[in-house]
């Protein structure tokens, strides 16, 4: 594929092609690039073709050809490419009495029609060039060699594009009109200078015969927002889920479900599952009569088929929160109230994870807004679910929440009609004195 230099390489290719076309018929003429401008008669007496790239637009056929280009873990499978078309305005200068602009226009249009797909000899290449205009001493051609233009999946082509009066006016709003035609260069496939991660080759492909004859289809996971408890369960519904070998996959973790009479599955959360968003799938092992497959590591393949994924959000839970005493001056900057706050939450983290503790004042004094705090710490990997915080907090009663991996714990609502906080958030809370 071609890299970021391909637009410049395509422009140089067009310039070389036109130079080759006019070499014999108009030996004194030349080809330049840049915006059209007013030129003195002595400058263009023998003829000049001016190439101006005035518009770039996405190619409608190739614009999404490379999607998707990453694996589920984010690693690059292939280089992403942007497919564009470039529009050139070709303007012709020369002695009007000798009709040189008209001759150059005829030469240009006949050459681009006869060679709609430019020859490789007109392109800047690593192995040198055949044409005199592309000699190895040309520093521009040398810098564009290796752009990959000649190796594109779809070859570059130039197509005549008639311009309307309304399209020509903006192009010549600052200078007098110059005899011009427009051509479109298509398609240019631009890839970034990144290297994909090369996967190991497939050692062997095996075919499995499933006794059910149907692939499992997961329609819903209920509840989809699940507050964490040690005995929390989810129900999975869909098609062809019931199987003695069925397993519920939570990313890389798995659990053994219980098959219900209606064909649905009920599963607990696997040990060590973290709070956050997980993609849940149902997998089934190959039939006992199937041949054993091997992965690239030599281990036997465990699952013959997997269902589509469905998102499950596991919400953390605040188990307990309380105030602890700190030494005098233990607050921030050596002063303040020096309050120590302990928050116990579940599930426990297994890797170093940022945990955000959110505090919102429940009852406030008249005339001031309710206080709120957001305290962030990095929870160390541990089997315990205890987090110790130090912060300067004003006395008061606060609602406590924790946010882990972008998911925030829930608050409980006061259901006592006699309570002053009836039908308002009430728990979990901590009182700072």
């Amino acid at each position: 594929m071609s890299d970021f230099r391909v637009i410049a390489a395509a422009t140089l290719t067009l310039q070389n092609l036109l130079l080759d076309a006019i070499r014999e018929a108009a030996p004194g003429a030349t080809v330049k690039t840049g915006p059209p401008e007013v030129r003195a008669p002595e400058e263009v007496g023998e003829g000049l073709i001016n190439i101006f790239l005035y518009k770039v637009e996405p190619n409608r056929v190739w614009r999404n050809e490379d999607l998707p280009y990453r694996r589920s873990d984010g690693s690059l499978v292939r280089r992403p490419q942007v497919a564009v078309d470039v529009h050139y305005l070709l303007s012709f200068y020369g002695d009007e009495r000798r009709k040189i602009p008209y001759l150059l226009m005829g030469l240009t249009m006949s050459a681009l029609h006869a060679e709609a797909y430019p020859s490789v000899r007109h392109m800047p290449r690593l192995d040198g060039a055949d044409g005199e205009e592309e000699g190895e001493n040309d520093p521009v051609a040398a810098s564009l060699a290796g752009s990959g233009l000649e190796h594109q999946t779809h070859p570059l082509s130039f197509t005549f594009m008639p311009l309307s009066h309304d399209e020509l006016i903006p192009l010549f709003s600052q200078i007098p009109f110059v005899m011009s035609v427009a051509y479109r260069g298509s398609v240019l496939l631009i890839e970034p200078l990144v290297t994909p991660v090369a996967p190991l080759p497939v050692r062997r492909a095996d075919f499995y015969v499933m006794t059910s004859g149907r692939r499992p289809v997961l329609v819903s996971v209920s509840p989809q927002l699940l507050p964490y408890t040690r005995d929390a369960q989810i129900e999975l519904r869909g098609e062809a889920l019931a199987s003695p070998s069925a397993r519920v996959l939570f990313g890389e973790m798995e659990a053994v479900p219980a098959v219900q009479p209606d064909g649905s599955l009920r599963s607990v959360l696997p040990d060590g599952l973290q709070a956050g968003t997980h993609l849940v799938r149902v997998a089934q092992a190959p039939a006992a009569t199937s041949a054993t497959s091997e992965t690239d590591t030599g281990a036997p393949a465990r699952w013959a088929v997997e269902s589509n994924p469905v998102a499950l959000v596991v919400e953390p839970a605040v188990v307990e929160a309380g105030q602890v005493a700190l030494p005098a001056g233990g607050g921030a900057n050596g002063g303040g109230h020096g309050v120590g706050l302990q928050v116990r939450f579940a599930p426990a983290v297994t890797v170093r994870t940022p945990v955000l503790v959110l505090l919102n004042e429940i009852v406030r004094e008249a005339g001031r807004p309710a206080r709120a705090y957001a305290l962030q710490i990095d929870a160390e990997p541990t089997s315990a679910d205890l987090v110790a915080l130090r912060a300067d907090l004003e006395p008061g009663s606060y609602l406590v929440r924790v946010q882990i991996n972008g998911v925030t714990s829930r608050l409980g609502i006061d259901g006592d009609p006699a309570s002053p906080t009836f039908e308002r958030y009430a728990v979990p809370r901590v009182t700072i004195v």
Side-chain angles (χ1 to χ4, degrees):
M1 289 296 179
S2 43
D3 59 24
F4 68 96
R5 299 170 294 175
V6 70
I7 296 178
T11 305
L12 181 60
T13 300
L14 178 59
Q15 185 177 7
N16 291 335
L17 193 155
L18 296 181
L19 281 170
D20 193 37
I22 65 175
R23 180 179 290 113
E24 295 182 3
T30 186
V31 182
K32 294 184 178 180
T33 60
E37 58 186 13
V38 178
R39 298 182 182 272
E42 61 272 11
E43 182 184 359
V44 296
E46 297 301 323
L48 168 66
I49 302 176
N50 189 84
I51 301 174
F52 175 50
L53 195 160
Y54 69 94
K55 184 171 70 172
V56 179
E57 64 180 4
N59 182 274
R60 298 180 180 180
V61 177
W62 287 81
R63 64 187 306 172
N64 293 327
E65 186 68 20
D66 63 338
L67 299 178
Y69 53 83
R70 290 187 183 273
R71 299 182 181 88
S72 58
D73 61 358
S75 60
L76 198 64
V77 175
R78 55 173 294 184
R79 292 189 179 110
Q81 65 182 21
V82 54
V84 299
D85 292 342
V86 287
H87 292 251
Y88 294 101
L89 184 72
L90 307 182
S91 302
F92 307 96
Y93 299 81
D95 189 348
E96 284 285 343
R97 294 173 301 175
R98 296 159 56 192
K99 303 297 186 261
I100 290 182
Y102 305 91
L103 296 175
L104 294 179
M105 176 183 287
L107 288 170
T108 295
M109 298 183 72
S110 63
L112 292 179
H113 182 75
E115 195 172 348
Y117 295 94
S119 171
V120 175
R121 65 188 179 89
H122 293 129
M123 301 179 183
R125 292 171 292 138
L126 286 172
D127 57 350
D130 298 327
E132 296 177 0
E133 69 279 5
E134 295 180 310
E136 295 181 358
N137 295 327
D138 185 352
V140 176
S143 66
L144 299 179
S147 65
L149 178 61
E150 70 274 20
H151 301 303
Q152 283 194 158
T153 305
H154 189 283
L156 172 66
S157 64
F158 293 107
T159 307
F160 177 54
M161 301 291 293
L163 292 180
S164 65
H165 183 263
D166 293 337
E167 291 173 311
L168 281 172
I169 288 177
L171 296 173
F172 293 98
S173 60
Q174 304 297 324
I175 64 171
F177 175 76
V178 180
M179 186 184 301
S180 304
V181 293
Y183 276 81
R184 180 184 65 194
S186 179
V187 55
L188 299 180
L189 305 174
I190 308 173
E191 291 188 345
L193 299 178
V194 294
T195 303
V197 178
L200 293 175
V202 177
R203 292 178 54 190
R204 187 177 68 194
D206 293 320
F207 295 92
Y208 298 98
V209 179
M210 301 301 296
T211 55
S212 64
R214 299 173 61 191
R215 182 186 183 90
V217 176
L218 186 56
V219 176
S220 66
V221 174
S222 179
Q224 200 163 14
L225 298 176
L226 179 65
Y228 177 83
T229 61
R230 293 187 182 276
D231 57 352
Q233 295 187 3
I234 58 173
E235 187 173 11
L236 302 97
R237 294 186 174 275
E239 301 176 2
L241 301 181
S243 171
S245 64
R247 296 293 185 270
V248 180
L249 306 182
F250 300 78
E252 299 299 325
M253 308 180 73
E254 66 179 72
V256 180
V259 180
Q260 304 302 301
D262 60 355
S264 63
L265 303 179
R266 185 172 291 274
S267 173
V268 297
L269 303 181
D271 293 336
L273 188 70
Q274 301 292 282
T277 303
H278 303 272
L279 293 180
V280 179
R281 308 182 309 279
V282 175
Q284 295 178 1
T289 57
S290 303
T292 301
S293 174
E294 292 185 357
T295 63
D296 53 17
T297 60
R302 304 183 61 187
W303 313 118
V305 292
E306 294 182 7
S307 73
N308 57 295
V310 173
L312 169 68
V313 178
V314 178
E315 301 174 346
V318 175
V319 178
E320 184 181 2
Q323 178 181 340
V324 295
L326 292 179
N333 301 321
H337 298 281
V339 172
L341 182 65
Q342 288 186 334
V343 179
R344 187 184 299 272
F345 65 89
V349 297
T350 57
V351 295
R352 184 178 178 87
T353 305
V355 177
L356 192 65
V357 179
L358 305 175
L359 302 178
N360 295 87
E361 190 177 19
I362 301 177
V363 181
R364 64 178 177 85
E365 299 174 358
R368 66 168 176 83
R371 298 186 180 98
Y373 299 92
L375 314 173
Q376 180 169 326
I377 64 168
D378 289 332
E380 298 291 344
T382 175
S383 58
D385 47 2
L386 182 65
V387 175
L389 296 175
R390 290 177 58 176
D392 290 333
L393 304 177
E394 294 293 335
S397 185
Y398 296 89
L399 295 172
V400 184
R401 291 173 294 161
V402 293
Q403 186 180 94
I404 304 174
N405 296 326
V407 181
T408 307
S409 61
R410 293 189 183 186
L411 294 173
I413 299 176
D414 188 351
D416 184 4
S419 172
T421 59
F422 177 57
E423 291 190 343
R424 295 171 58 185
Y425 291 127
V427 290
R429 68 169 66 189
V430 62
T431 302
I432 304 298
V433 296

